[in-house]
Amino acid sequence: MCGIFGCISQHSQNLIDKTLQGLKILEYRGYDSAGITYHNAKTQTNTETKLTTIKSVGDIEQLISKVKNHPQTTVCIGHTRWATNGEVNINNSHPHLSYNNEIAVVHNGIIENYSECCDLLKANDIKLKTPVDTEVIPNILYLLHDNKHNIHKYLQGQYVFCATDIYSKNLFLAKKGNLPLYIGRDNDTIYITSDTLALPTSTNEIVALDDLDTCEIIDNQILFFKENQSIKKSWQPFNQSFIASDKNGFSTYMEKEINEIPDIMQRIISSYSTDKTILQQIQALRAQIKNSNCIHICGCGTSYHAALILSKVFEKELQIRTIAHVSSELNQTTLLNEKALAIVISQSGETADTLACMDILQNQKIPIIALCNITTSTIAKRSEITFPLLCGPEIAVASTKVFCAAILIGCLIIKNYTQKIHNEFIQNTRKTLQNARKILHFPNTNDFSKIFIIGKGIAHALALESALKIKEVSYIHCEGYPANELKHGPLSMVDTTTLAITIGDNVSNTAAEIQARGGTVINLPIDNKNPLNFIGQIIPVQIFALDLAQSKNINPDKPRNLAKSVTVL
Ligand code: F6R
């Protein structure tokens, strides 16, 4: 959550534009407010350096419209916010400045000893202007003065931040815990970003900060420290092949990403049948499975729903007890026996709840396998084996293509399917996409106040994911339910304003019960001819959710209150 982007160069150039472009790409990480701070270039009449800060409430477009004339500069830092503490307003948005406006900070994460920090600042007569934890950072940096590499001794929690000040025109970075922060460079600029996706295509090398690192960027020198000692870090070659702003002719990323599903399914089948590294990983996993008597599959939100489906597939195919967990519900008391194996599913690879769940699994020495879209992420790095989801970046907040990818990969890593099954599945997925709006008719009226989605078995898990997608982008209350359970309570909710989507052809009793109470029922047939076909059945619901959002003038790429990468507990 929240995005950090900054640039520093030895010669004055349009770094404000570069920062705004970076923030625009990071917007998916939070979009309730944004801001930048840049150094005013020295002029002949003005030798003093000064920081200018511009902030706005709303998405990056609001900020762009406030930044007039875009002066040239050598340093600019920016932030897009998803509020955790302190309401959404200009004052609370980043960058936050020290009391004397000399140091500016953009920050992701939470300062857990905030009140202790406030006491320290109070004892030094420093008054804070906002209730936001970030504001303590520039003020403590001010107190530390030349000892800023000691900052980790003063701050508790998980955080990354980037600071600049009027004294030096340098950048100072720090990281504690799991949150990502990268430095990238091209021939004339150094970039700071919380996601490599935002780096421009000219970037040719990157390096990631590690836990308890600090870093100082002075002109074109990049100096790394751990616990105040200078350290060396190795740079990785970087090639940005993806142009994040490209919607490929679609009006939203969500639609573009749904439309990519058949090609991604094809790409996965091809890589998972031919790529030597992946095939070796599959063999290693299958050996581990043979040694296990229980598999735990963990994830949050859509990734949890993929876990739920895979738990059913694994139990059936492997005949091994397999349990799906919402990551945040796996706790120390969950019975994890010693011959267990864990699989974590994550698009971003940075989800704090899943990382916390990995702490528990690792404490109990349970081997962890990841199904992860971002293979450079923390979750991938902390796993024994990472199976790449091969989806390319997913920008829309609502996860679509990654859901299908995780399920397909889960199926492929435990079982070999014939070429015929693969081919039929791809063809079927293409057909489902083409006919999605015919398969699941959008009702004539969208005059309903609640939606139930019902199904049995895997169709129930698909119903849960469908309900998440619909509520996430349309703001209509929507619940997924096991078909027969409806009559055990929720049926009391059904009235003439209820829409029900039934998944599969084995739920006609429940459909009749809903219709008898005035509810509207539409059916999504499940095609069982091919064992993989159920994966593509989510597509008509994803498109239904998209259409519903657009019929209510909601931008499905940026639903209110949400962010793509949930890096807070
Ligand atoms: C829903 C959605 C979220 C994520 C969840 C986990 O459309 O996108 O529910 O699935 O926040 O995120 P990852 O998969 O990045 O761990």
Side-chain angles (χ1 to χ4, degrees):
M1 344 224 37
C2 302
I4 290 177
F5 195 86
C7 323
I8 177 165
S9 169
Q10 275 186 285
H11 61 94
S12 255
Q13 50 162 318
N14 205 344
L15 297 187
I16 295 177
D17 265 356
K18 285 189 175 179
T19 305
L20 292 170
Q21 278 165 30
L23 290 180
K24 185 89 192 118
I25 295 168
L26 294 180
E27 203 172 24
Y28 74 92
R29 294 179 70 99
Y31 34 81
D32 56 44
S33 55
I36 54 167
T37 293
Y38 60 90
H39 281 257
N40 291 14
K42 286 180 198 168
T43 61
Q44 277 169 349
T45 48
N46 169 17
T47 50
E48 217 179 83
T49 68
K50 217 177 96 197
L51 300 177
T52 299
T53 298
I54 303 172
K55 304 186 192 187
S56 64
V57 169
D59 60 18
I60 305 300
E61 286 306 325
Q62 310 306 314
L63 180 64
I64 292 173
S65 66
K66 272 181 108 173
V67 182
K68 302 269 166 357
N69 302 328
H70 297 209
Q72 304 275 302
T73 180
T74 55
V75 183
C76 184
I77 58 173
H79 189 266
T80 177
R81 180 173 187 242
W82 184 87
T84 44
N85 60 21
E87 64 184 72
V88 176
N89 61 36
I90 291 263
N91 282 345
N92 291 351
S93 58
H94 301 218
H96 281 268
L97 298 168
S98 56
Y99 80 99
N100 54 5
N101 295 332
E102 292 183 349
I103 306 175
V105 165
V106 287
H107 153 236
N108 287 353
I110 293 183
I111 306 301
E112 280 167 10
N113 61 334
Y114 169 69
S115 58
E116 220 175 86
C117 295
C118 291
D119 293 344
L120 170 73
L121 296 172
K122 208 166 160 199
N124 284 277
D125 281 337
I126 294 178
K127 284 201 184 78
L128 296 174
K129 294 168 263 186
T130 74
V132 180
D133 56 353
T134 306
E135 200 188 347
V136 301
I137 305 175
N139 286 299
I140 293 180
L141 287 174
Y142 170 80
L143 294 180
L144 289 176
H145 196 54
D146 282 341
N147 294 320
K148 50 184 178 293
H149 293 285
N150 283 333
I151 187 75
H152 292 311
K153 294 195 181 130
Y154 292 79
L155 303 179
Q156 281 164 21
Q158 300 218 43
Y159 54 82
V160 287
F161 71 80
C162 172
T164 189
D165 61 60
I166 62 160
Y167 325 113
S168 58
K169 287 201 163 189
N170 300 340
L171 289 182
F172 176 75
L173 319 178
K175 159 164 168 149
K176 187 182 263 185
N178 281 323
L179 300 174
L181 192 62
Y182 298 89
I183 304 171
R185 61 183 171 196
D186 59 23
N187 294 340
D188 69 355
T189 307
I190 296 167
Y191 305 94
I192 313 303
T193 182
S194 48
D195 186 340
T196 55
L197 193 61
L199 289 169
T201 45
S202 56
T203 312
N204 43 39
E205 279 188 313
I206 60 164
V207 65
L209 253 61
D210 290 310
D211 187 20
L212 297 178
D213 282 356
T214 51
C215 168
E216 222 168 330
I217 307 180
I218 306 167
D219 297 328
N220 63 349
Q221 269 194 299
I222 305 173
L223 309 170
F224 296 100
F225 299 81
K226 195 173 286 289
E227 290 170 26
N228 236 333
Q229 299 298 313
S230 166
I231 54 165
K232 287 221 158 24
K233 290 177 84 78
S234 57
W235 288 79
Q236 306 298 321
F238 183 77
N239 180 6
Q240 184 73 282
S241 50
F242 176 77
I243 311 292
S245 55
D246 186 2
K247 292 198 189 122
N248 202 15
F250 292 99
S251 63
T252 61
Y253 283 113
M254 185 175 175
E255 188 167 9
K256 173 194 171 226
E257 288 161 6
I258 297 170
N259 276 271
E260 286 169 355
I261 293 173
D263 286 348
I264 291 171
M265 299 296 103
Q266 175 99 63
R267 184 190 307 155
I268 290 172
I269 285 180
S270 148
S271 297
Y272 277 71
S273 339
T274 57
D275 184 297
K276 282 204 180 101
T277 315
I278 291 179
L279 289 172
Q280 276 167 5
Q281 288 176 331
I282 292 179
Q283 289 319 318
L285 174 72
R286 288 184 184 177
Q288 271 183 318
I289 288 177
K290 275 203 184 121
N291 273 329
S292 314
N293 53 16
C294 183
I295 303 173
H296 300 273
I297 317 186
C298 311
C300 304
T302 292
S303 292
Y304 165 69
H305 294 147
L308 195 58
I309 289 181
L310 286 179
S311 70
K312 293 177 196 292
V313 176
F314 279 29
E315 251 183 12
K316 181 166 168 251
E317 297 293 343
L318 299 170
Q319 293 291 304
I320 295 181
R321 184 157 164 68
T322 309
I323 308 164
H325 301 268
V326 169
S327 298
S328 54
E329 290 297 312
L330 185 106
N331 55 45
Q332 306 289 354
T333 57
T334 305
L335 191 60
L336 300 166
N337 68 41
E338 71 280 13
K339 281 184 83 183
L341 173 71
I343 298 181
V344 293
I345 304 180
S346 178
Q347 187 288 124
S348 61
E350 302 295 348
T351 303
D353 285 318
T354 300
L355 282 162
C357 146
M358 289 174 79
D359 291 340
I360 297 172
L361 293 164
Q362 274 166 341
N363 277 341
Q364 307 222 18
K365 310 236 172 340
I366 293 179
I368 302 178
I369 312 296
L371 308 189
C372 189
N373 197 35
I374 310 293
T375 48
T376 50
S377 64
T378 315
I379 286 177
K381 278 190 208 145
R382 284 185 50 188
S383 302
E384 275 184 25
I385 304 176
T386 298
F387 288 98
L389 296 180
L390 302 179
C391 288
E394 194 181 59
I395 305 286
V397 163
S399 188
T400 52
K401 55 182 178 174
V402 167
F403 176 71
C404 296
I407 300 171
L408 176 61
I409 288 168
C411 293
L412 299 181
I413 58 181
I414 59 151
K415 190 174 169 174
N416 295 335
Y417 295 88
T418 62
Q419 192 62 44
K420 186 165 175 266
I421 289 180
H422 288 166
N423 293 346
E424 273 176 13
F425 162 63
I426 301 292
Q427 272 171 19
N428 189 278
T429 309
R430 289 196 195 285
K431 253 201 278 162
T432 305
L433 175 65
Q434 262 168 19
N435 298 324
R437 290 186 171 92
K438 286 190 207 136
I439 296 171
L440 190 63
H441 289 282
F442 197 74
N444 291 338
T445 163
N446 60 6
D447 211 10
F448 28 79
S449 62
K450 49 195 169 284
I451 304 177
F452 281 105
I453 314 213
I454 55 170
K456 290 183 179 180
I458 284 184
H460 168 233
L462 283 173
L464 294 178
E465 172 56 13
S466 307
L468 176 63
K469 219 72 324 165
I470 289 175
K471 71 182 116 189
E472 191 177 10
V473 299
S474 76
Y475 314 154
I476 295 178
H477 189 96
C478 183
E479 271 190 83
Y481 241 86
N484 285 23
E485 274 293 291
L486 217 67
K487 61 182 176 294
H488 294 288
L491 201 58
S492 68
M493 304 278 297
V494 172
D495 59 22
T496 52
T497 70
T498 305
L499 173 71
I501 299 176
T502 55
I503 305 185
D505 56 10
N506 55 356
V507 287
S508 48
N509 286 358
T510 316
E513 287 156 13
I514 293 167
Q515 279 163 328
R517 276 127 192 118
T520 304
V521 177
I522 50 177
N523 179 255
L524 173 67
I526 284 267
D527 172 358
N528 286 326
K529 275 183 238 120
N530 179 304
L532 297 174
N533 274 358
F534 73 92
I535 300 171
Q537 298 297 138
I538 194 69
I539 295 174
V541 192
Q542 291 172 339
I543 292 198
F544 183 93
L546 171 86
D547 289 348
L548 198 52
Q550 290 187 321
S551 76
K552 297 180 82 204
N553 280 329
I554 295 168
N555 176 357
D557 288 343
K558 290 197 239 164
R560 69 183 177 202
N561 306 339
L562 300 180
K564 181 75 182 157
S565 178
V566 187
T567 53
V568 289
L569 289 175

mmCIF file of all heavy atoms in Angstrom, residues 532-549:
data_model
loop_
_atom_site.group_PDB
_atom_site.id
_atom_site.type_symbol
_atom_site.label_atom_id
_atom_site.label_comp_id
_atom_site.label_asym_id
_atom_site.label_seq_id
_atom_site.Cartn_x
_atom_site.Cartn_y
_atom_site.Cartn_z
ATOM 1 N N LEU A 532 -10.026 -29.206 -16.724
ATOM 2 C CA LEU A 532 -9.495 -27.866 -16.417
ATOM 3 C C LEU A 532 -10.500 -26.752 -16.729
ATOM 4 O O LEU A 532 -10.314 -25.605 -16.318
ATOM 5 C CB LEU A 532 -8.203 -27.621 -17.223
ATOM 6 C CG LEU A 532 -7.028 -28.551 -16.921
ATOM 7 C CD1 LEU A 532 -5.863 -28.299 -17.881
ATOM 8 C CD2 LEU A 532 -6.550 -28.371 -15.478
ATOM 9 N N ASN A 533 -11.566 -27.095 -17.447
ATOM 10 C CA ASN A 533 -12.470 -26.052 -17.956
ATOM 11 C C ASN A 533 -13.051 -25.128 -16.884
ATOM 12 O O ASN A 533 -13.319 -23.959 -17.150
ATOM 13 C CB ASN A 533 -13.639 -26.678 -18.723
ATOM 14 C CG ASN A 533 -13.262 -26.924 -20.171
ATOM 15 O OD1 ASN A 533 -12.155 -26.586 -20.571
ATOM 16 N ND2 ASN A 533 -14.168 -27.517 -20.928
ATOM 17 N N PHE A 534 -13.218 -25.674 -15.666
ATOM 18 C CA PHE A 534 -13.858 -24.848 -14.622
ATOM 19 C C PHE A 534 -13.068 -23.557 -14.366
ATOM 20 O O PHE A 534 -13.611 -22.561 -13.910
ATOM 21 C CB PHE A 534 -14.024 -25.665 -13.329
ATOM 22 C CG PHE A 534 -12.734 -25.885 -12.602
ATOM 23 C CD1 PHE A 534 -12.334 -24.986 -11.626
ATOM 24 C CD2 PHE A 534 -11.893 -26.961 -12.895
ATOM 25 C CE1 PHE A 534 -11.133 -25.156 -10.951
ATOM 26 C CE2 PHE A 534 -10.701 -27.138 -12.225
ATOM 27 C CZ PHE A 534 -10.321 -26.233 -11.261
ATOM 28 N N ILE A 535 -11.771 -23.570 -14.699
ATOM 29 C CA ILE A 535 -10.923 -22.401 -14.404
ATOM 30 C C ILE A 535 -11.448 -21.175 -15.147
ATOM 31 O O ILE A 535 -11.547 -20.079 -14.591
ATOM 32 C CB ILE A 535 -9.445 -22.680 -14.790
ATOM 33 C CG1 ILE A 535 -8.919 -23.870 -13.991
ATOM 34 C CG2 ILE A 535 -8.576 -21.442 -14.583
ATOM 35 C CD1 ILE A 535 -7.543 -24.377 -14.447
ATOM 36 N N GLY A 536 -11.806 -21.378 -16.419
ATOM 37 C CA GLY A 536 -12.272 -20.246 -17.238
ATOM 38 C C GLY A 536 -13.688 -19.804 -16.905
ATOM 39 O O GLY A 536 -14.148 -18.760 -17.381
ATOM 40 N N GLN A 537 -14.399 -20.608 -16.074
ATOM 41 C CA GLN A 537 -15.803 -20.265 -15.783
ATOM 42 C C GLN A 537 -15.927 -18.959 -15.000
ATOM 43 O O GLN A 537 -16.998 -18.382 -14.931
ATOM 44 C CB GLN A 537 -16.474 -21.387 -14.979
ATOM 45 C CG GLN A 537 -16.538 -22.707 -15.672
ATOM 46 C CD GLN A 537 -17.379 -22.698 -16.944
ATOM 47 O OE1 GLN A 537 -16.990 -23.281 -17.930
ATOM 48 N NE2 GLN A 537 -18.516 -22.027 -16.921
ATOM 49 N N ILE A 538 -14.828 -18.516 -14.426
ATOM 50 C CA ILE A 538 -14.899 -17.258 -13.672
ATOM 51 C C ILE A 538 -15.001 -16.060 -14.622
ATOM 52 O O ILE A 538 -15.478 -14.994 -14.241
ATOM 53 C CB ILE A 538 -13.668 -17.123 -12.726
ATOM 54 C CG1 ILE A 538 -13.870 -16.025 -11.678
ATOM 55 C CG2 ILE A 538 -12.390 -16.871 -13.495
ATOM 56 C CD1 ILE A 538 -14.902 -16.315 -10.657
ATOM 57 N N ILE A 539 -14.567 -16.251 -15.880
ATOM 58 C CA ILE A 539 -14.490 -15.095 -16.793
ATOM 59 C C ILE A 539 -15.848 -14.389 -16.965
ATOM 60 O O ILE A 539 -15.919 -13.158 -16.857
ATOM 61 C CB ILE A 539 -13.886 -15.514 -18.166
ATOM 62 C CG1 ILE A 539 -12.435 -15.951 -17.969
ATOM 63 C CG2 ILE A 539 -13.984 -14.388 -19.187
ATOM 64 C CD1 ILE A 539 -11.768 -16.522 -19.229
ATOM 65 N N PRO A 540 -16.948 -15.131 -17.223
ATOM 66 C CA PRO A 540 -18.220 -14.417 -17.381
ATOM 67 C C PRO A 540 -18.591 -13.587 -16.145
ATOM 68 O O PRO A 540 -19.162 -12.505 -16.273
ATOM 69 C CB PRO A 540 -19.236 -15.539 -17.617
ATOM 70 C CG PRO A 540 -18.424 -16.681 -18.153
ATOM 71 C CD PRO A 540 -17.091 -16.578 -17.481
ATOM 72 N N VAL A 541 -18.235 -14.089 -14.952
ATOM 73 C CA VAL A 541 -18.562 -13.305 -13.740
ATOM 74 C C VAL A 541 -17.658 -12.088 -13.634
ATOM 75 O O VAL A 541 -18.089 -11.000 -13.229
ATOM 76 C CB VAL A 541 -18.445 -14.145 -12.448
ATOM 77 C CG1 VAL A 541 -19.078 -13.396 -11.286
ATOM 78 C CG2 VAL A 541 -19.085 -15.492 -12.613
ATOM 79 N N GLN A 542 -16.393 -12.260 -14.010
ATOM 80 C CA GLN A 542 -15.482 -11.092 -13.973
ATOM 81 C C GLN A 542 -16.018 -10.004 -14.904
ATOM 82 O O GLN A 542 -16.025 -8.816 -14.555
ATOM 83 C CB GLN A 542 -14.071 -11.520 -14.400
ATOM 84 C CG GLN A 542 -13.386 -12.440 -13.392
ATOM 85 C CD GLN A 542 -12.077 -13.027 -13.901
ATOM 86 O OE1 GLN A 542 -11.841 -13.077 -15.110
ATOM 87 N NE2 GLN A 542 -11.239 -13.497 -13.004
ATOM 88 N N ILE A 543 -16.492 -10.426 -16.084
ATOM 89 C CA ILE A 543 -17.016 -9.430 -17.034
ATOM 90 C C ILE A 543 -18.337 -8.847 -16.521
ATOM 91 O O ILE A 543 -18.607 -7.652 -16.660
ATOM 92 C CB ILE A 543 -17.146 -10.064 -18.435
ATOM 93 C CG1 ILE A 543 -15.725 -10.339 -18.931
ATOM 94 C CG2 ILE A 543 -17.957 -9.184 -19.395
ATOM 95 C CD1 ILE A 543 -15.520 -10.560 -20.378
ATOM 96 N N PHE A 544 -19.124 -9.679 -15.881
ATOM 97 C CA PHE A 544 -20.377 -9.213 -15.270
ATOM 98 C C PHE A 544 -20.066 -8.121 -14.237
ATOM 99 O O PHE A 544 -20.702 -7.064 -14.207
ATOM 100 C CB PHE A 544 -21.065 -10.409 -14.606
ATOM 101 C CG PHE A 544 -22.388 -10.123 -13.988
ATOM 102 C CD1 PHE A 544 -23.561 -10.302 -14.697
ATOM 103 C CD2 PHE A 544 -22.480 -9.678 -12.669
ATOM 104 C CE1 PHE A 544 -24.800 -10.045 -14.117
ATOM 105 C CE2 PHE A 544 -23.705 -9.414 -12.080
ATOM 106 C CZ PHE A 544 -24.876 -9.603 -12.811
ATOM 107 N N ALA A 545 -19.053 -8.384 -13.392
ATOM 108 C CA ALA A 545 -18.673 -7.409 -12.352
ATOM 109 C C ALA A 545 -18.207 -6.106 -13.003
ATOM 110 O O ALA A 545 -18.583 -5.002 -12.572
ATOM 111 C CB ALA A 545 -17.571 -7.988 -11.474
ATOM 112 N N LEU A 546 -17.413 -6.246 -14.064
ATOM 113 C CA LEU A 546 -16.899 -5.073 -14.790
ATOM 114 C C LEU A 546 -18.068 -4.254 -15.348
ATOM 115 O O LEU A 546 -18.134 -3.025 -15.180
ATOM 116 C CB LEU A 546 -16.001 -5.573 -15.924
ATOM 117 C CG LEU A 546 -15.515 -4.574 -16.938
ATOM 118 C CD1 LEU A 546 -14.248 -3.913 -16.412
ATOM 119 C CD2 LEU A 546 -15.201 -5.244 -18.267
ATOM 120 N N ASP A 547 -19.020 -4.942 -16.014
ATOM 121 C CA ASP A 547 -20.170 -4.240 -16.614
ATOM 122 C C ASP A 547 -21.012 -3.558 -15.537
ATOM 123 O O ASP A 547 -21.512 -2.450 -15.720
ATOM 124 C CB ASP A 547 -21.045 -5.216 -17.410
ATOM 125 C CG ASP A 547 -20.354 -5.678 -18.692
ATOM 126 O OD1 ASP A 547 -19.321 -5.067 -19.056
ATOM 127 O OD2 ASP A 547 -20.829 -6.641 -19.324
ATOM 128 N N LEU A 548 -21.157 -4.263 -14.408
ATOM 129 C CA LEU A 548 -21.959 -3.703 -13.318
ATOM 130 C C LEU A 548 -21.301 -2.414 -12.803
ATOM 131 O O LEU A 548 -21.969 -1.400 -12.594
ATOM 132 C CB LEU A 548 -22.043 -4.754 -12.203
ATOM 133 C CG LEU A 548 -23.130 -4.612 -11.159
ATOM 134 C CD1 LEU A 548 -24.488 -4.444 -11.796
ATOM 135 C CD2 LEU A 548 -23.143 -5.855 -10.253
ATOM 136 N N ALA A 549 -19.981 -2.457 -12.626
ATOM 137 C CA ALA A 549 -19.263 -1.264 -12.146
ATOM 138 C C ALA A 549 -19.456 -0.128 -13.143
ATOM 139 O O ALA A 549 -19.794 1.004 -12.764
ATOM 140 C CB ALA A 549 -17.780 -1.582 -11.991
#
